Amino acid sequence: MLPLWLGVAPFAVAYAVTARAAHLSLFETQFMSLTVFAGASQFAAAGLFGQGAGGLSIIATTFLLNVRHVLYGLSLAQQLPISGWRRLLAAQFLTDEAYGVTIAAGPKQPGGLSLAFLLGAELSLYFVWNLFTLVGSLAGAFIPDPRAVGADVVFPLAFLGLLVPLLVGRREVLVAVFSGLLAWGVSRTLPGGLTVLIAGVGGALLGAFLSTRRAGRS
């Protein structure tokens, strides 16, 4: 998780600066990180607060940004059967980064994927995000925009590192290429959350079709 911590930290600072510029108090800025814990949605919400947007507008915007988590939850539910309060706990702290690491590395652990591994990934990011939200609230004026220093490259590189070991055959490569091209095309017109959802469903359907066809031949 360490490379992802290095990417999360500067963007937590950037969120805090954005929220404070939108006239959210230090408590409100930190409270959003403690309860929402969703980077892109927090950025969007802070900007909308600054514009004086209504509650329904903020909820609708953040819903569209985070709708991809439906896919994450469905995927994890198939590999990690949990119920009750454990399911709610895992869902609350789930992020893109924690999901990626859990799916790529969790099944390789002794005993397979576990709730402890998932929560370890989630809560480590939660701690870093909230720590640097506080840093940004207190000292953000003296810290440069992470995009200006190239920190935004950390996330795509980290996810690429998680993806490559999973490409073990032609079917996986084909699904990855198709999903990437579909995401690129959809992103030209739709928000990021819907882009991930559509590309994920499209890639899953292609993978299911190829798997079914292979099983039929055998």
Side-chain angles (χ1 to χ4, degrees):
M1 297 298 294
L2 181 56
L4 294 170
W5 296 349
L6 299 176
V8 164
F11 280 94
V13 171
Y15 150 70
V17 173
T18 301
R20 298 289 278 141
H23 307 296
L24 272 70
S25 68
L26 190 152
F27 172 79
E28 291 166 338
T29 300
Q30 193 70 44
F31 187 71
M32 196 189 301
S33 280
L34 288 168
T35 57
V36 178
F37 186 44
S41 293
Q42 289 184 224
F43 267 105
L48 290 170
F49 275 124
Q51 298 169 17
L56 289 179
S57 175
I58 295 172
I59 291 172
T61 300
T62 53
F63 173 81
L64 289 177
L65 287 172
N66 272 348
V67 71
R68 65 192 183 278
H69 283 249
V70 173
L71 286 182
Y72 298 163
L74 290 172
S75 172
L76 285 171
Q78 293 180 348
Q79 301 190 44
L80 183 63
I82 53 177
S83 59
W85 65 268
R86 294 176 180 84
R87 185 188 297 267
L88 295 176
L89 184 66
Q92 167 62 20
F93 295 105
L94 186 62
T95 60
D96 304 286
E97 299 82 8
Y99 170 78
V101 169
T102 299
I103 289 298
K108 301 176 184 177
Q109 304 304 306
L113 179 58
S114 66
L115 177 61
F117 185 93
L118 173 61
L119 288 177
E122 293 178 342
L123 294 177
S124 70
L125 287 171
Y126 181 75
F127 174 77
V128 172
W129 179 262
N130 278 279
L131 174 63
F132 281 90
T133 294
L134 181 59
V135 171
S137 294
L138 297 175
F142 305 100
I143 300 174
D145 185 337
R147 287 163 289 197
V149 297
D152 54 334
V153 77
V154 171
F155 291 123
L157 287 178
F159 280 111
L160 186 62
L162 295 172
L163 171 65
V164 170
L166 301 177
L167 303 179
V168 296
R170 288 188 299 176
R171 177 179 53 182
E172 288 79 5
V173 172
L174 179 59
V175 169
V177 171
F178 170 78
S179 300
L181 291 174
L182 180 60
W184 176 80
V186 172
S187 68
R188 317 288 287 183
T189 56
L190 294 177
L194 288 178
T195 296
V196 176
L197 181 65
I198 292 171
V201 170
L205 290 175
L206 176 60
F209 170 76
L210 295 175
S211 299
T212 302
R213 189 174 66 170
R214 176 181 292 181
R217 287 178 177 176
S218 60

